[in-house]
Amino acid sequence: MADEGIANRYQVLEELGPSALFTRALTRPRGRRSPSSTEDDIQEIQQEISVLSTCASSYVTQYKASFLRGHKLWIVMEYLGGGSCLDLLKSGIFNEVQIAIICRELLLGLEYLHSEGKIHRDIKAANVLLSETGRVKLADFGVAAQLTYMKSQRNTFVGTPFWMAPEVIQQAGYDFKADLWSLGITAIELALGEPPHASLHPMKVLFHIPKNAPPRLEGKFSKEFKDFVAQCLVKDPDFRPTAKELLKHRFIRSAGKVEALQELIQRKRMADVRVDHVKHPVYYQETLHSISPKDDADEWVFDTVKSIVPRRGTVRSRKPSSAFSVDDAMRKLDLKDGPLQPNTPGTVRKSTMRRQPSSASRQNARRDSIRRRMSNGSPRSSLGPKRPLQPDTSFGNSGSTMRLFRRVPSDGSNPSGVDPSPREFANENQPPPTYHAPVEPNSKEAMLGRRLYNKALEPCLDELHAQTATSTKREALARLSDAFALLDAVDPEGAYHLLRNLVSTVSHDTKLSNTFLPQQQHQQHHQQQQPKSQPPAQDGTVLIKSRPSTATTLAGTPPASAAGSPSKLIISQENPHLMSHRRRRGSMLPQPTSPTSSFAEAGRFPPAGRERGGERERGGDREREREREREREREREREREREREKERERVAALALEARFPGRAAVPGMEHCKALSDLLYARWTDGLRARWGIVGGA
Amino acid sequence: MSFFFGRTRARTNTTDLAKQARDHVTKLLDGPQGPAKAEELAKVLAQMKQVLQGTHAEAEPNTEQIYQLVTSMIEEDLLYLLAVHLHRLPFESRKDTQVIFSYIFRFRPPTGPQKPEPLALAYVVEKRPQVLVELCKGYDHKESATPAGTVLREVLKNEAAAAIILYDDGEEQGSSVRGVGGINPDRTQSGRGVFWNFFDWIDKSSFEVSADAFTTFRELITKHKDLVPRYLAVNFDLFFDRYNNILVQSNSYVTKRQSIKLLGEILLDRANYNIMTAYVDRGEHLKICMNLLRDDRKMVQYEGFHVFKVFVANPHKSVPVQKILIMNRDKLLQFLSHFLEDRTEDEQFIDEREFLIKQIRNLPPAPVPPPQR
């Protein structure tokens, strides 16, 4: 296939973060769709590619190529090392000089697009990228429109609520001027850190914008700047100036050189370094689908030919989960961490995956990065030799960014904090959540809550999302995921309480607990079989749930664990410091303890007590037990979560219908319904009537 | 056309444009002069575009000028030349050419009958079908695929234009080469006409070209409810042989999925009723389809299911189809009971799956010839 050739010309050096393409090259909530649903909106991608590929301007991110590889469509874009303006805003708002430069460059970009008959329709800080030299480029043409005829107008309701022009919201027909409104909002966003009405719900904003007077820039800004914003934010598009006219505005004419923007990039890097936000090189790993047909050997029998379709030698899944957990284990073995250092649960994962490390997690983040560098011998061998030793060497020195178009949330067992979480991109279109810096978990409940989110809720949601095909359902799921993300950022404690209450409620209902709890034990059995070194449980009452990673380190340990009654779980949860001790197990001697006593002790020992060497081993054992408890609980949580999700999904889908009445139906699997309706109607009725024979065969 | 005389300025301007463009295009091929000519041509094309669409937000396009431009382009055979050389033009000129084509093909003369035909399109369809054929061949090159495809999709809304592409068959008798009037729809195609190239363009090109070609192909096959069923009936074997062996078996995941989906759409289109009955009578079609159910990609399985169900739901299954189903009855029952189990929310699918299971379970022990229709 022709695409193979192109694919080979590019080598993936580094995944630039969870949203590789998105933070560095393009920002767009596209990760929600996985390649398995690709052509439901293939036309949409095609549209984007065709808009991008017909742009040749230094103010627009340059499209290089696109190719299919396996299930995935890759789009190769120009590499822009500076990041998006939204990224840069995280280390502080911009000053007027910088905003003037950015606005001028954007106007030049818009002038070009508009002269080409293109409307961007989603101008916002997140979609403005900077090169390392400070060049400003427009990105993300996911909703851009190409007008065939200059005078035609559009009615489609697209964009991001906060930045949307009133005429777009009212769907009364709009043209190029809509982009200039969004530019005005973006200017306010750069000056204040968020767009107007950011505190409102996006849906509410949709009513606000057309109804109220246009937002104004208030505060100690120059008259020119305020006037420029006011010019952009003229409600009647007929009186709003064009890009060309705005380029003559005083505020724009006095703007300086783009090189001045390098300051912003520097500032961001400094900020990153300060929080030890070292860029861990994250290597792209081809996600291999683990869908195997039910019984492979059992082919259909056709009289003559065995199989008309030659079975192509597809790459079968090496199970990502096992590969990752081995990797995990290796990493853990490498660890030289003292077992008793204070550690915050969940944050390591957080710091790498959300790129918004809380200060509490600095230490972890650093350790994590070191670990990563040490783990060169990990099984992701295909990419092993290409790894640079310094985390920053690959930053900015590759020619272009590879954009993985649609991410598959690979599965629940995502490794070591590398999380291609689709929610990350989703947030781009729902900015208010992103502005909430995650609350530092400062209570035990909060820490547990955060961990709950990171380890259980989020992977589950991702997994479920990947398995869902219908677009409305996916949308609903994504919204749920967003809601959880927000809850986690704002109130991890709330998440904790939510689940705790749920668990106890479920356990009180016999039917519910029968449904969920035994199922969960099945899984435990199943997982237990994998690690061979694990001896069978010694006392019949105990079930061990341990990940393969723990198995490697635990070899020969007589497992001991208490049955997971909710009350006991609560005891163990009281002590968040234990959470992270799982990875220290390698250094610990096995020591069987009776479950009850260990729990009793755990309740009594304050975390500091375990600093004392003599108690380490026992502490370790206890921790293990608790860890298992927690693992188990999480399993159960996952189960329940799925159930609840289904409910919520339904509700959310309904709500969504109600909320977006004007939205065009997303092309998806609906056709199948229509088609099969047709089919049945015809076969069962039409044909019978026609031939007078009942097809009861 | 006498009403034009006297308004000479506009006239000379626009007619000159077409002439100049022609000169430049023909010289594009000559090696040394090439780049310079390309530049001049770019200028001329940009001017043409401006005549057609007016400058943005300012000058309104002048209908008389456009009329002149259209007629002079026809006279100079510029449409054909531009279509042939589209991939050789510089980046901006390709975009301009696309715009020019779109405007020209859509232009209706301001005077004359109540609903006049688009002038240039009528001319092309009747006298110069090669323009459309050459536009299709734009898919041979990455550079010209998108602009040519965009123009084509617009033009193909016209049934005569679609017929030109479907029935192009070189110099054969009944080919569209001599215009839409010369078409003989009852003659089986040789498979060497431009339409049949679409299969390879879709299967063998890079993603951009392939996706664009597929979109055009889909339009071509689904838009015209009189033209296409007749065409498919006459060329049934050739069409489905290519379709099944090239598109459905494509190595590209996207092409494969899209074409299975399109196959379902074609079969279930009311207009294609006869095509469907013929299709589901063939045992070999069922085999292909059953193998899709076992593909290792879920969405392929899912799309395959929607074709498979047509075979099973058919109350008049042919003997070969019955034979295959009966031979695999147990396996199918076993297979279907676990087929795409995780699709628990899709009630329609679950119902259909149940229906199919019932149908298969109730198959007679040996094939029974279907009643005479």
Side-chain angles (χ1 to χ4, degrees):
Chain A
M1 214 172 70
D3 278 355
E4 284 304 313
I6 308 177
N8 293 336
R9 295 220 312 267
Y10 296 96
Q11 188 180 46
V12 184
L13 291 172
E14 177 197 352
E15 201 167 328
L16 290 164
S19 44
L21 11 130
F22 302 93
T23 49
R24 289 287 154 221
L26 273 180
T27 25
R28 159 140 201 237
R30 159 187 308 120
R32 297 192 165 186
R33 300 171 221 135
S34 66
S36 54
S37 61
T38 298
E39 93 255 28
D40 296 340
D41 26 28
I42 190 95
Q43 310 250 347
E44 199 181 302
I45 309 169
Q46 227 182 302
Q47 171 69 20
E48 179 170 0
I49 291 180
S50 78
V51 172
L52 274 171
S53 61
T54 49
C55 282
S57 160
S58 55
Y59 306 104
V60 175
T61 44
Q62 200 196 339
Y63 164 85
K64 303 231 184 236
S66 60
F67 54 87
L68 264 177
R69 208 171 173 188
H71 304 201
K72 288 179 187 170
L73 175 61
W74 293 76
I75 294 194
V76 186
M77 303 289 298
E78 167 185 24
Y79 179 76
L80 294 169
S84 80
C85 281
L86 186 64
D87 282 342
L88 297 171
L89 268 177
K90 283 178 188 142
S91 53
I93 53 169
F94 297 7
N95 65 34
E96 247 183 68
V97 176
Q98 293 158 341
I99 295 173
I101 301 170
I102 291 176
C103 284
R104 185 195 53 210
E105 302 291 300
L106 288 180
L107 281 170
L108 288 166
L110 287 178
E111 190 194 12
Y112 172 80
L113 286 181
H114 295 172
S115 73
E116 290 281 309
K118 297 177 169 80
I119 316 180
H120 185 285
R121 302 202 285 193
D122 202 13
I123 304 281
K124 55 180 177 180
N127 288 341
V128 178
L129 303 189
L130 262 60
S131 78
E132 296 201 300
T133 53
R135 307 220 58 146
V136 180
K137 309 213 177 199
L138 272 170
D140 193 350
F141 287 73
V143 295
Q146 172 75 59
L147 302 179
T148 326
Y149 308 106
M150 277 297 176
K151 295 290 182 298
S152 45
Q153 287 199 323
R154 284 299 168 121
N155 286 306
T156 331
F157 179 85
V158 293
T160 314
F162 299 92
W163 289 264
M164 271 162 108
E167 70 266 21
V168 178
I169 295 172
Q170 288 167 325
Q171 299 178 56
Y174 58 89
D175 61 5
F176 311 103
K177 300 282 184 69
D179 278 345
L180 295 158
W181 173 283
S182 306
L183 176 72
I185 301 288
T186 306
I188 296 184
E189 185 188 9
L190 298 177
L192 304 177
E194 54 183 30
H197 310 306
S199 56
L200 294 182
H201 188 277
M203 297 313 294
K204 217 169 171 183
V205 165
L206 291 180
F207 296 99
H208 256 270
I209 296 173
K211 218 173 65 195
N212 295 355
R216 280 188 309 176
L217 183 65
E218 318 245 358
K220 46 181 192 342
F221 297 102
S222 72
K223 221 169 65 214
E224 284 81 17
F225 187 21
K226 284 179 180 170
D227 183 63
F228 174 76
V229 171
Q231 296 270 323
C232 290
L233 301 182
V234 172
K235 272 180 88 176
D236 185 341
D238 292 338
F239 295 103
R240 201 180 302 150
T242 62
K244 213 185 197 108
E245 285 157 8
L246 277 172
L247 278 167
K248 293 174 198 145
H249 193 278
R250 277 250 299 275
F251 179 65
I252 296 302
R253 270 186 304 161
S254 57
K257 287 188 179 150
V258 287
E259 280 71 24
L261 297 176
Q262 291 173 13
E263 206 178 297
L264 286 169
I265 300 163
Q266 284 308 318
R267 182 178 74 177
K268 173 81 165 92
R269 287 208 189 137
M270 294 300 282
D272 286 349
V273 171
R274 264 205 301 283
V275 292
D276 261 324
H277 185 180
V278 186
K279 291 247 162 12
H280 325 300
V282 179
Y283 299 98
Y284 174 70
Q285 190 178 32
E286 198 98 37
T287 320
L288 299 162
H289 262 247
S290 47
I291 310 154
S292 42
K294 291 292 172 276
D295 32 354
D296 233 343
D298 205 14
E299 291 279 347
W300 304 125
V301 190
F302 303 130
D303 37 5
T304 44
V305 198
K306 175 93 171 135
S307 157
I308 260 191
V309 189
R311 290 196 76 79
R312 265 171 280 110
T314 31
V315 194
R316 251 333 131 58
S317 64
R318 53 186 154 126
K319 260 198 169 166
S321 56
S322 61
F324 288 146
S325 47
V326 176
D327 182 23
D328 246 10
M330 302 272 286
R331 206 155 54 75
K332 277 161 196 151
L333 285 171
D334 276 344
L335 259 192
K336 300 289 184 284
D337 286 6
L340 298 170
Q341 280 174 15
N343 211 335
T344 347
T347 42
V348 170
R349 189 185 164 83
K350 189 132 216 136
S351 67
T352 47
M353 100 186 187
R354 309 206 77 201
R355 309 165 66 88
Q356 294 167 335
S358 59
S359 59
S361 68
R362 279 174 204 168
Q363 239 185 330
N364 296 316
R366 170 179 294 165
R367 240 182 290 138
D368 192 52
S369 69
I370 293 166
R371 252 177 267 138
R372 271 159 198 286
R373 267 173 266 151
M374 284 161 58
S375 66
N376 265 353
S378 80
R380 299 190 212 161
S381 52
S382 56
L383 292 157
K386 286 170 229 151
R387 296 184 171 193
L389 285 171
Q390 294 298 318
D392 268 340
T393 47
S394 55
F395 181 75
N397 59 3
S398 60
S400 59
T401 302
M402 300 285 283
R403 185 157 75 122
L404 170 56
F405 211 106
R406 273 124 198 270
R407 292 302 250 114
V408 204
S410 21
D411 62 354
S413 69
N414 244 318
S416 49
V418 188
D419 197 327
S421 149
R423 193 184 22 70
E424 197 73 22
F425 326 140
N427 277 348
E428 293 290 352
N429 258 0
Q430 299 181 346
T434 59
Y435 290 119
H436 295 290
V439 171
E440 270 178 45
N442 43 18
S443 71
K444 289 159 188 171
E445 284 83 6
M447 287 168 183
L448 280 170
R450 179 143 295 170
R451 188 182 173 93
L452 165 73
Y453 174 75
N454 286 339
K455 296 272 182 181
L457 295 181
E458 201 205 10
C460 287
L461 283 165
D462 283 355
E463 191 174 15
L464 199 73
H465 189 267
Q467 289 166 354
T468 314
T470 323
S471 51
T472 43
K473 287 175 190 165
R474 291 172 74 85
E475 174 90 32
L477 254 178
R479 290 167 77 92
L480 178 64
S481 171
D482 286 350
F484 265 122
L486 180 61
L487 178 65
D488 176 63
V490 177
D491 184 13
E493 209 173 320
Y496 166 81
H497 284 300
L498 172 73
L499 211 86
R500 236 194 78 180
N501 293 345
L502 220 107
V503 171
S504 64
T505 325
V506 167
S507 70
H508 284 130
D509 186 298
T510 35
K511 266 198 177 159
L512 286 178
S513 60
N514 281 345
T515 322
F516 297 120
L517 304 183
Q519 210 177 345
Q520 184 259 332
Q521 284 173 354
H522 263 305
Q523 287 184 350
Q524 287 171 17
H525 272 302
H526 182 71
Q527 295 196 4
Q528 194 187 346
Q529 284 160 6
Q530 288 186 337
K532 280 185 187 142
S533 54
Q534 191 88 28
Q538 290 182 331
D539 42 353
T541 59
V542 181
L543 283 169
I544 301 127
K545 156 79 183 69
S546 76
R547 299 158 136 203
S549 59
T550 43
T552 18
T553 58
L554 266 179
T557 313
S561 178
S565 81
S567 58
K568 279 175 183 169
L569 284 172
I570 291 160
I571 298 175
S572 62
Q573 278 169 346
E574 302 277 74
N575 194 342
H577 290 262
L578 303 178
M579 307 283 286
S580 54
H581 280 236
R582 187 166 39 104
R583 65 173 75 93
R584 298 180 201 146
R585 266 169 239 146
S587 60
M588 288 166 191
L589 289 170
Q591 193 176 60
T593 351
S594 89
T596 41
S597 73
S598 83
F599 266 103
E601 279 169 27
R604 264 182 268 123
F605 276 104
R610 280 174 297 112
E611 297 279 4
R612 271 166 270 142
E615 289 179 11
R616 275 193 196 175
E617 290 90 340
R618 301 177 69 193
D621 235 8
R622 266 178 261 124
E623 282 145 25
R624 227 169 295 145
E625 288 155 15
R626 260 166 240 124
E627 191 53 41
R628 274 176 223 131
E629 284 291 335
R630 250 167 253 123
E631 288 284 348
R632 238 186 274 179
E633 200 204 354
R634 273 195 293 278
E635 281 297 329
R636 265 175 255 140
E637 281 159 10
R638 250 167 252 178
E639 287 299 327
R640 274 171 229 129
E641 192 50 43
R642 261 167 230 160
E643 286 300 313
R644 268 182 288 150
E645 260 165 24
K646 277 179 200 161
E647 262 313 306
R648 257 174 254 180
E649 204 179 282
R650 253 173 250 140
V651 177
L654 282 177
L656 190 77
E657 286 277 3
R659 272 180 183 164
F660 291 93
R663 269 201 168 176
V666 188
M669 308 306 333
E670 298 88 344
H671 76 284
C672 294
K673 263 195 200 312
L675 289 173
S676 47
D677 278 342
L678 228 164
L679 168 84
Y680 282 113
R682 207 174 309 151
W683 278 120
T684 53
D685 304 322
L687 294 192
R688 282 176 203 175
R690 186 160 159 176
W691 296 319
I693 291 155
V694 177
Chain B
M1 262 192 265
S2 57
F3 63 91
F4 279 121
F5 298 118
R7 297 170 213 192
T8 40
R9 242 193 111 213
R11 186 163 168 267
T12 42
N13 255 344
T14 38
T15 38
D16 271 6
L17 281 179
K19 252 200 192 88
Q20 286 171 23
R22 188 200 160 88
D23 286 350
H24 297 318
V25 173
T26 43
K27 280 174 192 157
L28 262 185
L29 290 173
D30 310 342
Q33 262 191 321
K37 286 292 157 199
E39 217 166 276
E40 283 173 51
L41 178 62
K43 272 185 213 151
V44 176
L45 290 174
Q47 275 178 289
M48 281 186 179
K49 186 175 88 169
Q50 230 167 46
V51 169
L52 290 168
Q53 66 177 19
T55 45
H56 177 44
E58 288 151 34
E60 284 291 321
N62 177 332
T63 325
E64 283 165 27
Q65 274 192 333
I66 295 178
Y67 186 92
Q68 281 189 316
L69 185 60
V70 171
T71 45
S72 63
M73 281 180 84
I74 291 173
E75 263 167 46
E76 301 289 339
D77 203 17
L78 191 59
L79 290 171
Y80 176 75
L81 288 174
L82 284 177
V84 171
H85 296 290
L86 186 55
H87 67 276
R88 287 203 184 83
L89 304 182
F91 180 78
E92 291 295 336
S93 298
R94 293 200 299 268
K95 289 197 287 182
D96 290 346
T97 307
Q98 176 196 319
V99 173
I100 291 170
F101 266 112
S102 298
Y103 273 94
I104 296 267
F105 277 146
R106 176 173 184 259
F107 175 77
R108 296 165 198 270
T111 53
Q114 206 54 28
K115 186 130 172 67
E117 282 281 293
L119 189 70
L121 189 55
Y123 165 78
V124 163
V125 163
E126 277 155 28
K127 304 262 166 59
R128 200 73 168 104
Q130 290 79 6
V131 174
L132 296 177
V133 173
E134 286 304 324
L135 278 174
C136 289
K137 289 186 180 160
Y139 285 121
D140 278 334
H141 304 273
K142 192 164 138 273
E143 294 77 14
S144 49
T146 313
T150 312
V151 174
L152 274 175
R153 280 192 292 279
E154 227 164 297
V155 167
L156 286 178
K157 289 175 188 156
N158 181 305
E159 195 173 46
I164 294 288
I165 291 170
L166 289 173
Y167 289 104
D168 169 66
D169 204 358
E171 289 300 315
E172 302 269 346
Q173 202 61 39
S175 158
S176 63
V177 71
R178 271 167 294 274
V180 75
I183 291 173
N184 172 11
D186 296 324
R187 193 186 58 87
T188 314
Q189 296 290 302
S190 70
R192 289 185 296 272
V194 74
F195 171 71
W196 306 96
N197 289 348
F198 271 91
F199 294 94
D200 280 345
W201 285 324
I202 293 168
D203 182 49
K204 300 209 167 54
S205 312
S206 67
F207 173 76
E208 294 120 304
V209 179
S210 159
D212 199 289
F214 190 87
T215 317
T216 308
F217 180 77
R218 178 201 291 273
E219 296 276 301
L220 196 52
I221 286 300
T222 54
K223 271 267 145 51
H224 304 288
K225 307 291 186 197
D226 295 323
L227 182 69
V228 174
R230 185 168 185 189
Y231 183 79
L232 290 183
V234 172
N235 300 293
F236 185 88
D237 288 323
L238 186 59
F239 180 82
F240 284 108
D241 177 62
R242 301 259 171 120
Y243 199 100
N244 285 327
N245 290 318
I246 300 176
L247 300 187
V248 174
Q249 308 301 346
S250 172
N251 281 323
S252 151
Y253 173 63
V254 170
T255 301
K256 191 178 178 100
R257 266 191 62 187
Q258 276 190 309
S259 44
I260 301 169
K261 192 168 151 188
L262 178 59
L263 178 60
E265 284 171 39
I266 294 172
L267 295 182
L268 292 179
D269 191 324
R270 211 172 273 278
N272 289 331
Y273 179 81
N274 293 322
I275 307 295
M276 171 184 70
T277 46
Y279 189 86
V280 298
D281 273 352
R282 302 280 179 93
E284 66 266 33
H285 292 162
L286 177 60
K287 290 178 194 170
I288 292 169
C289 186
M290 281 169 71
N291 282 318
L292 292 177
L293 296 179
R294 283 194 183 275
D295 195 277
D296 42 8
R297 291 159 292 194
K298 280 193 179 171
M299 286 314 292
V300 172
Q301 299 175 7
Y302 182 73
E303 301 289 4
F305 176 83
H306 288 288
V307 180
F308 177 69
K309 71 187 185 188
V310 188
F311 287 91
V312 181
N314 180 357
H316 305 286
K317 297 177 193 65
S318 70
V319 172
V321 166
Q322 287 188 53
K323 227 163 131 187
I324 292 170
L325 289 176
I326 291 168
M327 208 176 331
N328 292 287
R329 187 201 314 250
D330 294 341
K331 282 184 179 180
L332 276 168
L333 289 174
Q334 166 75 15
F335 179 83
L336 285 173
S337 61
H338 297 292
F339 184 65
L340 297 176
E341 275 175 312
D342 49 354
R343 215 168 248 282
T344 50
E345 302 282 305
D346 188 345
E347 281 175 27
Q348 178 90 28
F349 169 75
I350 294 170
D351 287 351
E352 291 180 6
R353 195 178 57 194
E354 286 314 306
F355 177 76
L356 294 196
I357 289 176
K358 220 171 84 196
Q359 290 291 307
I360 293 171
R361 195 177 290 134
N362 293 337
L363 282 171
V368 179
Q372 282 303 308
R373 299 184 188 177

